[in-house]
Amino acid sequence: MLSVGVNGYGTIGKRVADAVVAQPDMELVGVAKTRPNYEAGRAVKNGYPLYAAIEERAEKFDAADIDLAGLVEELVEEADVMVDATPSGIGAENKSLYEEHDTPALYQGGEDADLVDTSFNARANFADAAGADHVRVVSCNTTGLSRLVAPLEEEYGIEKVRATLVRRGGDPAQTDRGPINDILPNPRTIPSHHGPDVQTIFPDLAIDTLGLKVPATLMHTHSINVSLNGDATADEVRELLESQSRTFVIPEHLDIDGAGKLKEFALDAGRPRGDLWENCIWGESISVEGDDLYLFQAIHQESDVVPENVDAIRAVAETADADESIETTNDALGMGL
Ligand code: NAD
């Protein structure tokens, strides 16, 4: 059994913790939090040992009557692998903590790529993380783009990817984010930083990305154009994407017209928190004009990186290869819609 600790128990951390608990070969040894908010209370109710991430704040947990198992240093010592899911930039500050205890660590997409030995996407470069000490699971958008690029590159070869990312303004619980009544080119410079981030997984890929932010919280939506090297038909591409375990081609008859119905669909399916771990690609959007493939996909920013974190744990611990790990993760979570 792999002992896993999670430092930073927010949107991503709590989902990764639950996913670790669901795995047959992993044990969650604890989670670390900075403050005794509603998520801390739930962690304890779930039976997850709760550690204080900041020693000086430990007394706040006592005052809130929330039991602590100890300080984060003890959690790092006990874990075989730590998953750092703290806000952007804090992971970099925590790196020395993991090094002091000789515990390999995963970081999230908000950290710089040069913090780590390798950036990670299970479908594209699982083996690069074998035995690494510091691995970055790329962001939600980069994960969504990588899952699309990998099979297309293998099957046809790619001349160039052009993607416009219509990004949610904030997650549902991020009451301080926006815009609330605007459409923002964001970043205003072109190309956006997302393309170079995808190149941390596919160094030779030609890709330009543009970003916007809109008043929505549910999901991101990508408008994609891939210029392919090989001949392809829309039906062939659809079949290829349907054969991938983490790309869900939305059948037309479901009559799902946007993120709202997608989330409702996930809730109806009994998905925890209404999570959609897969890229959600509209079947009717998959089109080929000459050498150009076009499609729309929705990406659930809060959850698509969760199975990737689980796979990255096995990759650094070298307990499975990509296919074994992806299959185990998918089965344990209940992937497939
Ligand atoms: P979040 O704010 O929801 O959760 C972060 C948690 O870490 C919070 O509970 C916060 O209190 C805690 N924290 C703050 N400082 C800490 C410290 N020093 N030690 C331990 N815990 C600390 O953030 P999030 O959305 O889960 O993002 C975490 C990381 O995941 C970021 O790198 C982000 O870029 C990345 N990410 C976020 C999303 C998303 O859409 N939410 C998607 C993919 C990747």
Side-chain angles (χ1 to χ4, degrees), residues 6-15 32-35 37-39 51-54 57 72 84-91 93-94 97-98 107-111 137-141 143 168 170-171 173-174 177 220 300-306 309:
V6 175
N7 190 14
Y9 191 74
T11 305
I12 302 298
K14 64 187 175 187
R15 286 172 167 80
K33 267 204 73 64
T34 49
R35 56 202 170 104
N37 73 348
Y38 68 100
E39 288 161 323
Y51 291 79
I54 299 175
R57 296 208 202 148
V72 66
D84 187 297
T86 58
S88 304
I90 307 283
E93 292 174 16
N94 288 337
L97 169 66
Y98 309 129
Y107 305 85
Q108 306 305 312
E111 303 302 326
V137 176
V138 290
S139 75
C140 48
N141 283 312
T143 295
R168 55 83 178 112
D171 295 339
Q174 287 178 312
R177 297 276 288 257
H220 302 297
H300 186 216
Q301 75 280 358
E302 297 172 286
S303 71
D304 73 330
V305 298
V306 171
N309 272 273

Short mmCIF file of all heavy atoms in Angstrom, two decimals, residues 6-15 32-35 37-39 51-54 57 72 84-91 93-94 97-98 107-111 137-141 143 168 170-171 173-174 177 220 300-306 309, ligand 1:
data_model
loop_
_atom_site.label_atom_id
_atom_site.label_comp_id
_atom_site.label_asym_id
_atom_site.label_seq_id
_atom_site.Cartn_x
_atom_site.Cartn_y
_atom_site.Cartn_z
N VAL A 6 -1.91 14.65 1.68
CA VAL A 6 -2.33 15.77 0.84
C VAL A 6 -2.14 17.05 1.64
O VAL A 6 -2.69 17.21 2.74
CB VAL A 6 -3.81 15.62 0.42
CG1 VAL A 6 -4.28 16.86 -0.35
CG2 VAL A 6 -4.02 14.36 -0.43
N ASN A 7 -1.35 17.97 1.10
CA ASN A 7 -1.12 19.26 1.75
C ASN A 7 -1.85 20.33 0.95
O ASN A 7 -1.54 20.57 -0.21
CB ASN A 7 0.39 19.57 1.79
CG ASN A 7 0.70 20.77 2.67
OD1 ASN A 7 -0.14 21.21 3.46
ND2 ASN A 7 1.92 21.27 2.54
N GLY A 8 -2.84 20.99 1.60
CA GLY A 8 -3.69 21.94 0.89
C GLY A 8 -4.98 21.23 0.55
O GLY A 8 -5.05 20.45 -0.40
N TYR A 9 -5.99 21.46 1.37
CA TYR A 9 -7.23 20.68 1.25
C TYR A 9 -8.35 21.61 0.80
O TYR A 9 -9.27 21.92 1.54
CB TYR A 9 -7.52 20.05 2.61
CG TYR A 9 -8.60 19.00 2.62
CD1 TYR A 9 -8.40 17.74 2.09
CD2 TYR A 9 -9.84 19.28 3.19
CE1 TYR A 9 -9.38 16.78 2.12
CE2 TYR A 9 -10.84 18.33 3.22
CZ TYR A 9 -10.61 17.08 2.69
OH TYR A 9 -11.58 16.13 2.72
N GLY A 10 -8.22 22.09 -0.44
CA GLY A 10 -9.26 22.95 -1.02
C GLY A 10 -9.90 22.24 -2.20
O GLY A 10 -10.09 21.02 -2.17
N THR A 11 -10.21 22.99 -3.24
CA THR A 11 -10.93 22.45 -4.40
C THR A 11 -10.26 21.18 -4.95
O THR A 11 -10.92 20.16 -5.14
CB THR A 11 -10.99 23.53 -5.50
OG1 THR A 11 -11.57 24.70 -4.92
CG2 THR A 11 -11.82 23.09 -6.68
N ILE A 12 -8.98 21.25 -5.22
CA ILE A 12 -8.29 20.10 -5.80
C ILE A 12 -7.93 19.09 -4.71
O ILE A 12 -8.15 17.88 -4.86
CB ILE A 12 -7.00 20.56 -6.55
CG1 ILE A 12 -7.36 21.57 -7.67
CG2 ILE A 12 -6.23 19.36 -7.10
CD1 ILE A 12 -8.25 21.06 -8.77
N GLY A 13 -7.39 19.56 -3.59
CA GLY A 13 -6.89 18.66 -2.54
C GLY A 13 -7.96 17.73 -1.99
O GLY A 13 -7.71 16.53 -1.79
N LYS A 14 -9.17 18.26 -1.77
CA LYS A 14 -10.19 17.38 -1.17
C LYS A 14 -10.64 16.31 -2.16
O LYS A 14 -10.93 15.18 -1.78
CB LYS A 14 -11.37 18.19 -0.64
CG LYS A 14 -12.17 18.95 -1.65
CD LYS A 14 -13.20 19.85 -0.95
CE LYS A 14 -13.95 20.70 -1.96
NZ LYS A 14 -14.82 21.68 -1.30
N ARG A 15 -10.64 16.67 -3.45
CA ARG A 15 -11.02 15.68 -4.47
C ARG A 15 -9.92 14.61 -4.61
O ARG A 15 -10.22 13.42 -4.77
CB ARG A 15 -11.26 16.37 -5.81
CG ARG A 15 -12.57 17.16 -5.84
CD ARG A 15 -12.68 17.99 -7.10
NE ARG A 15 -14.02 18.51 -7.32
CZ ARG A 15 -14.54 19.58 -6.72
NH1 ARG A 15 -13.80 20.28 -5.86
NH2 ARG A 15 -15.78 19.97 -6.97
N ALA A 32 -3.48 18.12 5.24
CA ALA A 32 -3.05 19.29 6.02
C ALA A 32 -3.79 20.53 5.58
O ALA A 32 -3.97 20.78 4.38
CB ALA A 32 -1.54 19.50 5.85
N LYS A 33 -4.23 21.31 6.56
CA LYS A 33 -4.98 22.54 6.29
C LYS A 33 -4.43 23.69 7.13
O LYS A 33 -3.84 23.48 8.17
CB LYS A 33 -6.46 22.33 6.64
CG LYS A 33 -7.29 21.88 5.46
CD LYS A 33 -8.76 22.22 5.60
CE LYS A 33 -9.10 23.68 5.42
NZ LYS A 33 -8.82 24.23 4.10
N THR A 34 -4.67 24.91 6.63
CA THR A 34 -4.19 26.08 7.36
C THR A 34 -5.22 26.61 8.35
O THR A 34 -4.88 27.29 9.30
CB THR A 34 -3.87 27.23 6.38
OG1 THR A 34 -4.98 27.40 5.51
CG2 THR A 34 -2.62 26.95 5.59
N ARG A 35 -6.51 26.32 8.09
CA ARG A 35 -7.53 26.91 8.96
C ARG A 35 -8.71 25.95 9.12
O ARG A 35 -8.99 25.12 8.24
CB ARG A 35 -7.98 28.27 8.43
CG ARG A 35 -8.48 28.21 7.04
CD ARG A 35 -8.42 29.55 6.32
NE ARG A 35 -8.72 29.28 4.93
CZ ARG A 35 -9.87 29.54 4.34
NH1 ARG A 35 -10.84 30.15 5.00
NH2 ARG A 35 -10.08 29.23 3.08
N ASN A 37 -11.86 25.63 8.60
CA ASN A 37 -13.12 26.00 7.94
C ASN A 37 -13.99 24.77 7.69
O ASN A 37 -13.74 23.68 8.21
CB ASN A 37 -12.83 26.78 6.65
CG ASN A 37 -12.30 25.86 5.55
OD1 ASN A 37 -11.94 24.71 5.81
ND2 ASN A 37 -12.24 26.35 4.33
N TYR A 38 -15.03 24.94 6.88
CA TYR A 38 -15.99 23.84 6.64
C TYR A 38 -15.32 22.61 6.04
O TYR A 38 -15.75 21.48 6.30
CB TYR A 38 -17.14 24.33 5.74
CG TYR A 38 -16.77 24.66 4.31
CD1 TYR A 38 -17.02 23.75 3.29
CD2 TYR A 38 -16.17 25.88 3.98
CE1 TYR A 38 -16.68 24.05 1.97
CE2 TYR A 38 -15.83 26.18 2.68
CZ TYR A 38 -16.08 25.27 1.67
OH TYR A 38 -15.75 25.57 0.38
N GLU A 39 -14.27 22.84 5.25
CA GLU A 39 -13.60 21.69 4.62
C GLU A 39 -12.81 20.90 5.66
O GLU A 39 -12.73 19.67 5.61
CB GLU A 39 -12.69 22.17 3.49
CG GLU A 39 -13.50 22.65 2.28
CD GLU A 39 -12.73 23.55 1.33
OE1 GLU A 39 -11.92 24.37 1.82
OE2 GLU A 39 -12.95 23.45 0.11
N TYR A 51 -3.93 17.46 9.78
CA TYR A 51 -2.69 18.05 10.29
C TYR A 51 -2.72 19.56 10.07
O TYR A 51 -3.29 20.03 9.09
CB TYR A 51 -1.49 17.44 9.56
CG TYR A 51 -1.25 15.98 9.90
CD1 TYR A 51 -2.02 14.98 9.31
CD2 TYR A 51 -0.28 15.60 10.82
CE1 TYR A 51 -1.83 13.64 9.62
CE2 TYR A 51 -0.07 14.26 11.14
CZ TYR A 51 -0.85 13.29 10.53
OH TYR A 51 -0.65 11.97 10.86
N ALA A 52 -2.09 20.28 10.99
CA ALA A 52 -2.00 21.74 10.83
C ALA A 52 -0.85 22.05 9.88
O ALA A 52 0.28 21.61 10.08
CB ALA A 52 -1.76 22.41 12.17
N ALA A 53 -1.17 22.84 8.82
CA ALA A 53 -0.14 23.17 7.84
C ALA A 53 0.77 24.28 8.37
O ALA A 53 1.91 24.43 7.92
CB ALA A 53 -0.79 23.60 6.53
N ILE A 54 0.26 25.08 9.30
CA ILE A 54 1.06 26.18 9.86
C ILE A 54 0.98 26.08 11.38
O ILE A 54 -0.11 26.19 11.97
CB ILE A 54 0.53 27.55 9.35
CG1 ILE A 54 0.64 27.60 7.81
CG2 ILE A 54 1.28 28.70 10.00
CD1 ILE A 54 0.05 28.83 7.17
N ARG A 57 -0.92 28.38 13.74
CA ARG A 57 -2.39 28.43 13.63
C ARG A 57 -3.06 27.19 14.23
O ARG A 57 -4.28 27.06 14.17
CB ARG A 57 -2.80 28.54 12.17
CG ARG A 57 -2.33 29.84 11.54
CD ARG A 57 -3.27 30.25 10.42
NE ARG A 57 -2.58 31.15 9.51
CZ ARG A 57 -2.81 31.23 8.23
NH1 ARG A 57 -3.71 30.43 7.66
NH2 ARG A 57 -2.15 32.07 7.48
N VAL A 72 2.13 19.36 9.91
CA VAL A 72 2.33 18.87 8.54
C VAL A 72 3.66 18.11 8.39
O VAL A 72 3.76 17.16 7.62
CB VAL A 72 2.21 20.02 7.52
CG1 VAL A 72 3.33 21.05 7.67
CG2 VAL A 72 2.15 19.49 6.10
N ASP A 84 0.84 18.09 -3.14
CA ASP A 84 0.70 19.49 -2.71
C ASP A 84 -0.38 20.13 -3.57
O ASP A 84 -0.25 20.21 -4.79
CB ASP A 84 2.04 20.23 -2.90
CG ASP A 84 1.98 21.63 -2.31
OD1 ASP A 84 1.17 22.44 -2.80
OD2 ASP A 84 2.73 21.92 -1.36
N ALA A 85 -1.48 20.53 -2.93
CA ALA A 85 -2.59 21.17 -3.66
C ALA A 85 -2.88 22.52 -3.03
O ALA A 85 -4.03 22.92 -2.86
CB ALA A 85 -3.81 20.26 -3.66
N THR A 86 -1.82 23.21 -2.68
CA THR A 86 -1.94 24.55 -2.09
C THR A 86 -2.09 25.58 -3.23
O THR A 86 -1.84 25.26 -4.40
CB THR A 86 -0.69 24.88 -1.25
OG1 THR A 86 0.46 24.79 -2.09
CG2 THR A 86 -0.55 23.91 -0.08
N PRO A 87 -2.48 26.82 -2.91
CA PRO A 87 -2.65 27.83 -3.97
C PRO A 87 -1.34 28.09 -4.72
O PRO A 87 -0.24 27.86 -4.19
CB PRO A 87 -3.09 29.07 -3.20
CG PRO A 87 -3.65 28.56 -1.92
CD PRO A 87 -2.87 27.33 -1.59
N SER A 88 -1.49 28.59 -5.96
CA SER A 88 -0.34 28.86 -6.83
C SER A 88 0.79 29.56 -6.09
O SER A 88 0.54 30.57 -5.42
CB SER A 88 -0.76 29.77 -7.99
OG SER A 88 -1.82 29.20 -8.69
N GLY A 89 1.99 29.05 -6.21
CA GLY A 89 3.15 29.68 -5.60
C GLY A 89 3.49 29.13 -4.23
O GLY A 89 4.66 29.16 -3.81
N ILE A 90 2.51 28.61 -3.50
CA ILE A 90 2.78 28.07 -2.16
C ILE A 90 3.49 26.71 -2.28
O ILE A 90 4.32 26.35 -1.46
CB ILE A 90 1.48 27.92 -1.33
CG1 ILE A 90 0.69 29.22 -1.29
CG2 ILE A 90 1.78 27.41 0.07
CD1 ILE A 90 1.22 30.26 -0.36
N GLY A 91 3.16 25.98 -3.34
CA GLY A 91 3.84 24.70 -3.57
C GLY A 91 5.35 24.89 -3.64
O GLY A 91 6.11 24.10 -3.07
N GLU A 93 7.05 27.17 -2.20
CA GLU A 93 7.55 27.43 -0.83
C GLU A 93 7.64 26.13 -0.03
O GLU A 93 8.46 26.00 0.88
CB GLU A 93 6.61 28.41 -0.10
CG GLU A 93 6.64 29.80 -0.68
CD GLU A 93 5.60 30.72 -0.03
OE1 GLU A 93 5.07 30.38 1.05
OE2 GLU A 93 5.33 31.78 -0.63
N ASN A 94 6.80 25.18 -0.35
CA ASN A 94 6.77 23.91 0.40
C ASN A 94 7.81 22.90 -0.07
O ASN A 94 8.01 21.88 0.58
CB ASN A 94 5.39 23.25 0.27
CG ASN A 94 4.33 23.99 1.08
OD1 ASN A 94 4.65 24.69 2.03
ND2 ASN A 94 3.08 23.82 0.69
N LEU A 97 10.31 21.57 2.38
CA LEU A 97 9.71 20.70 3.40
C LEU A 97 9.74 19.24 2.93
O LEU A 97 10.11 18.34 3.69
CB LEU A 97 8.27 21.15 3.66
CG LEU A 97 7.37 20.25 4.49
CD1 LEU A 97 7.86 20.18 5.93
CD2 LEU A 97 5.92 20.75 4.45
N TYR A 98 9.37 19.03 1.67
CA TYR A 98 9.35 17.66 1.15
C TYR A 98 10.78 17.13 1.00
O TYR A 98 11.04 15.96 1.27
CB TYR A 98 8.60 17.61 -0.19
CG TYR A 98 7.23 18.26 -0.11
CD1 TYR A 98 6.81 19.22 -1.03
CD2 TYR A 98 6.35 17.93 0.93
CE1 TYR A 98 5.56 19.83 -0.92
CE2 TYR A 98 5.11 18.54 1.04
CZ TYR A 98 4.72 19.50 0.12
OH TYR A 98 3.50 20.10 0.24
N TYR A 107 3.02 18.52 -7.45
CA TYR A 107 2.54 19.90 -7.38
C TYR A 107 1.46 20.07 -8.44
O TYR A 107 1.31 19.23 -9.32
CB TYR A 107 3.69 20.88 -7.63
CG TYR A 107 4.87 20.65 -6.69
CD1 TYR A 107 5.84 19.70 -7.01
CD2 TYR A 107 4.99 21.35 -5.50
CE1 TYR A 107 6.91 19.47 -6.15
CE2 TYR A 107 6.06 21.13 -4.64
CZ TYR A 107 7.02 20.18 -4.97
OH TYR A 107 8.06 19.95 -4.13
N GLN A 108 0.76 21.20 -8.37
CA GLN A 108 -0.34 21.43 -9.31
C GLN A 108 0.05 22.45 -10.38
O GLN A 108 1.11 23.07 -10.31
CB GLN A 108 -1.60 21.87 -8.56
CG GLN A 108 -2.01 20.92 -7.44
CD GLN A 108 -2.21 19.48 -7.91
OE1 GLN A 108 -2.88 19.23 -8.91
NE2 GLN A 108 -1.61 18.53 -7.20
N GLY A 109 -0.88 22.67 -11.30
CA GLY A 109 -0.61 23.49 -12.47
C GLY A 109 -0.32 24.95 -12.20
O GLY A 109 0.23 25.64 -13.05
N GLY A 110 -0.65 25.44 -11.00
CA GLY A 110 -0.37 26.83 -10.67
C GLY A 110 1.10 27.08 -10.39
O GLY A 110 1.53 28.24 -10.30
N GLU A 111 1.89 26.02 -10.25
CA GLU A 111 3.33 26.19 -10.01
C GLU A 111 4.07 26.30 -11.34
O GLU A 111 3.60 25.80 -12.37
CB GLU A 111 3.88 24.98 -9.21
CG GLU A 111 3.19 24.74 -7.89
CD GLU A 111 3.23 25.94 -6.94
OE1 GLU A 111 4.24 26.67 -6.94
OE2 GLU A 111 2.25 26.14 -6.21
N VAL A 137 1.58 18.13 -11.91
CA VAL A 137 0.41 17.72 -12.69
C VAL A 137 -0.12 19.00 -13.34
O VAL A 137 -0.49 19.95 -12.63
CB VAL A 137 -0.65 17.06 -11.78
CG1 VAL A 137 -1.91 16.73 -12.58
CG2 VAL A 137 -0.09 15.81 -11.13
N VAL A 138 -0.14 19.02 -14.67
CA VAL A 138 -0.44 20.28 -15.36
C VAL A 138 -1.87 20.73 -15.10
O VAL A 138 -2.70 19.96 -14.63
CB VAL A 138 -0.16 20.17 -16.88
CG1 VAL A 138 1.34 20.07 -17.14
CG2 VAL A 138 -0.90 19.00 -17.52
N SER A 139 -2.15 21.97 -15.44
CA SER A 139 -3.43 22.60 -15.11
C SER A 139 -4.61 21.89 -15.78
O SER A 139 -4.44 21.04 -16.67
CB SER A 139 -3.41 24.06 -15.57
OG SER A 139 -3.55 24.09 -16.98
N CYS A 140 -5.79 22.30 -15.39
CA CYS A 140 -7.02 21.73 -15.97
C CYS A 140 -7.06 21.90 -17.49
O CYS A 140 -7.35 20.95 -18.23
CB CYS A 140 -8.24 22.38 -15.33
SG CYS A 140 -8.15 24.19 -15.25
N ASN A 141 -6.74 23.10 -17.98
CA ASN A 141 -6.79 23.34 -19.42
C ASN A 141 -5.71 22.55 -20.15
O ASN A 141 -5.95 21.99 -21.22
CB ASN A 141 -6.62 24.84 -19.71
CG ASN A 141 -7.90 25.61 -19.43
OD1 ASN A 141 -8.97 25.20 -19.86
ND2 ASN A 141 -7.80 26.71 -18.70
N THR A 143 -4.30 19.80 -19.15
CA THR A 143 -4.70 18.39 -19.10
C THR A 143 -5.70 18.10 -20.21
O THR A 143 -5.57 17.13 -20.96
CB THR A 143 -5.31 18.06 -17.72
OG1 THR A 143 -4.29 18.21 -16.73
CG2 THR A 143 -5.87 16.65 -17.67
N ARG A 168 -13.85 29.85 -17.36
CA ARG A 168 -14.77 30.28 -16.29
C ARG A 168 -14.06 31.35 -15.45
O ARG A 168 -12.85 31.29 -15.24
CB ARG A 168 -15.22 29.08 -15.43
CG ARG A 168 -14.07 28.25 -14.80
CD ARG A 168 -13.58 28.88 -13.51
NE ARG A 168 -12.55 28.15 -12.85
CZ ARG A 168 -11.30 28.58 -12.72
NH1 ARG A 168 -10.90 29.70 -13.30
NH2 ARG A 168 -10.43 27.88 -12.01
N GLY A 170 -14.33 31.99 -12.24
CA GLY A 170 -13.86 31.43 -10.97
C GLY A 170 -14.60 30.14 -10.70
O GLY A 170 -15.56 29.81 -11.40
N ASP A 171 -14.13 29.38 -9.71
CA ASP A 171 -14.84 28.16 -9.32
C ASP A 171 -16.10 28.57 -8.54
O ASP A 171 -16.17 29.69 -8.02
CB ASP A 171 -13.94 27.27 -8.45
CG ASP A 171 -12.74 26.75 -9.24
OD1 ASP A 171 -12.81 26.73 -10.47
OD2 ASP A 171 -11.74 26.36 -8.60
N ALA A 173 -17.16 28.15 -5.61
CA ALA A 173 -16.97 28.66 -4.25
C ALA A 173 -16.11 29.92 -4.19
O ALA A 173 -15.93 30.50 -3.12
CB ALA A 173 -16.35 27.56 -3.37
N GLN A 174 -15.55 30.33 -5.32
CA GLN A 174 -14.66 31.50 -5.32
C GLN A 174 -15.48 32.78 -5.48
O GLN A 174 -15.60 33.35 -6.57
CB GLN A 174 -13.62 31.38 -6.43
CG GLN A 174 -12.56 30.34 -6.12
CD GLN A 174 -11.56 30.19 -7.25
OE1 GLN A 174 -11.94 30.07 -8.41
NE2 GLN A 174 -10.28 30.20 -6.91
N ARG A 177 -14.09 36.12 -7.20
CA ARG A 177 -13.58 36.15 -8.57
C ARG A 177 -14.61 36.73 -9.53
O ARG A 177 -15.79 36.84 -9.23
CB ARG A 177 -13.22 34.72 -9.01
CG ARG A 177 -12.09 34.10 -8.20
CD ARG A 177 -10.73 34.50 -8.70
NE ARG A 177 -10.43 33.87 -9.97
CZ ARG A 177 -9.63 32.82 -10.12
NH1 ARG A 177 -9.01 32.30 -9.07
NH2 ARG A 177 -9.41 32.28 -11.30
N HIS A 220 -14.80 25.26 -18.20
CA HIS A 220 -14.19 25.96 -19.33
C HIS A 220 -14.75 25.36 -20.62
O HIS A 220 -15.15 24.19 -20.64
CB HIS A 220 -12.67 25.74 -19.40
CG HIS A 220 -11.91 26.14 -18.18
ND1 HIS A 220 -11.83 27.42 -17.72
CD2 HIS A 220 -11.12 25.41 -17.35
CE1 HIS A 220 -11.02 27.47 -16.66
NE2 HIS A 220 -10.59 26.27 -16.41
N HIS A 300 -14.02 20.31 -17.02
CA HIS A 300 -14.40 20.63 -15.64
C HIS A 300 -13.14 20.91 -14.83
O HIS A 300 -12.42 20.00 -14.42
CB HIS A 300 -15.19 19.46 -15.01
CG HIS A 300 -15.72 19.83 -13.67
ND1 HIS A 300 -15.80 18.94 -12.63
CD2 HIS A 300 -16.15 21.02 -13.19
CE1 HIS A 300 -16.28 19.56 -11.56
NE2 HIS A 300 -16.50 20.82 -11.88
N GLN A 301 -12.93 22.21 -14.61
CA GLN A 301 -11.66 22.66 -14.04
C GLN A 301 -11.39 22.09 -12.65
O GLN A 301 -10.23 21.91 -12.26
CB GLN A 301 -11.63 24.19 -14.00
CG GLN A 301 -12.49 24.86 -12.92
CD GLN A 301 -13.97 24.95 -13.28
OE1 GLN A 301 -14.37 24.55 -14.36
NE2 GLN A 301 -14.78 25.47 -12.38
N GLU A 302 -12.45 21.80 -11.91
CA GLU A 302 -12.24 21.35 -10.52
C GLU A 302 -11.86 19.88 -10.43
O GLU A 302 -11.43 19.43 -9.37
CB GLU A 302 -13.54 21.56 -9.71
CG GLU A 302 -13.94 23.01 -9.59
CD GLU A 302 -15.32 23.13 -8.95
OE1 GLU A 302 -16.31 22.84 -9.62
OE2 GLU A 302 -15.39 23.51 -7.77
N SER A 303 -12.05 19.12 -11.52
CA SER A 303 -11.87 17.67 -11.34
C SER A 303 -11.08 16.93 -12.40
O SER A 303 -10.70 15.79 -12.16
CB SER A 303 -13.25 17.00 -11.20
OG SER A 303 -13.93 17.01 -12.44
N ASP A 304 -10.81 17.53 -13.58
CA ASP A 304 -10.15 16.68 -14.59
C ASP A 304 -8.73 16.31 -14.19
O ASP A 304 -8.20 15.30 -14.65
CB ASP A 304 -10.19 17.32 -16.00
CG ASP A 304 -9.25 18.50 -16.18
OD1 ASP A 304 -8.98 19.21 -15.20
OD2 ASP A 304 -8.80 18.74 -17.33
N VAL A 305 -8.10 17.09 -13.31
CA VAL A 305 -6.72 16.77 -12.89
C VAL A 305 -6.69 15.70 -11.78
O VAL A 305 -5.62 15.22 -11.43
CB VAL A 305 -5.96 18.02 -12.41
CG1 VAL A 305 -5.84 19.04 -13.54
CG2 VAL A 305 -6.60 18.66 -11.19
N VAL A 306 -7.84 15.33 -11.26
CA VAL A 306 -7.86 14.40 -10.11
C VAL A 306 -7.33 13.01 -10.48
O VAL A 306 -6.40 12.50 -9.83
CB VAL A 306 -9.27 14.35 -9.47
CG1 VAL A 306 -9.37 13.25 -8.43
CG2 VAL A 306 -9.59 15.71 -8.86
N ASN A 309 -3.58 13.14 -10.91
CA ASN A 309 -2.81 13.13 -9.66
C ASN A 309 -2.65 11.70 -9.15
O ASN A 309 -1.57 11.31 -8.70
CB ASN A 309 -3.49 13.98 -8.59
CG ASN A 309 -3.07 15.45 -8.64
OD1 ASN A 309 -2.07 15.83 -8.04
ND2 ASN A 309 -3.82 16.26 -9.35
P1 NAD B 1 -8.00 26.32 -3.27
O1 NAD B 1 -7.79 27.71 -2.81
O2 NAD B 1 -9.39 25.84 -3.50
O3 NAD B 1 -7.34 25.30 -2.23
C1 NAD B 1 -6.06 25.50 -1.71
C2 NAD B 1 -6.07 25.10 -0.25
O4 NAD B 1 -4.75 25.23 0.29
C3 NAD B 1 -6.98 25.99 0.60
O5 NAD B 1 -7.73 25.16 1.47
C4 NAD B 1 -6.00 26.86 1.39
O6 NAD B 1 -6.50 27.25 2.64
C5 NAD B 1 -4.83 25.90 1.54
N1 NAD B 1 -3.55 26.53 1.85
C6 NAD B 1 -3.16 27.81 1.67
N2 NAD B 1 -1.87 27.97 2.10
C7 NAD B 1 -1.45 26.77 2.53
C8 NAD B 1 -0.24 26.29 3.09
N3 NAD B 1 0.81 27.08 3.28
N4 NAD B 1 -0.16 24.98 3.44
C9 NAD B 1 -1.21 24.15 3.27
N5 NAD B 1 -2.40 24.56 2.75
C10 NAD B 1 -2.50 25.85 2.39
O7 NAD B 1 -7.11 26.14 -4.57
P2 NAD B 1 -7.28 25.07 -5.72
O8 NAD B 1 -8.26 25.59 -6.71
O9 NAD B 1 -7.50 23.73 -5.12
O10 NAD B 1 -5.86 25.15 -6.42
C11 NAD B 1 -4.73 24.46 -5.92
C12 NAD B 1 -3.73 24.28 -7.03
O11 NAD B 1 -4.36 23.53 -8.07
C13 NAD B 1 -3.22 25.57 -7.69
O12 NAD B 1 -1.89 25.35 -8.13
C14 NAD B 1 -4.13 25.71 -8.89
O13 NAD B 1 -3.56 26.47 -9.92
C15 NAD B 1 -4.29 24.26 -9.29
N6 NAD B 1 -5.49 23.96 -10.07
C16 NAD B 1 -6.69 24.53 -9.76
C17 NAD B 1 -7.79 24.24 -10.55
C18 NAD B 1 -9.12 24.88 -10.30
O14 NAD B 1 -9.83 25.18 -11.22
N7 NAD B 1 -9.53 25.08 -9.07
C19 NAD B 1 -7.68 23.36 -11.62
C20 NAD B 1 -6.46 22.74 -11.87
C21 NAD B 1 -5.36 23.06 -11.10
#
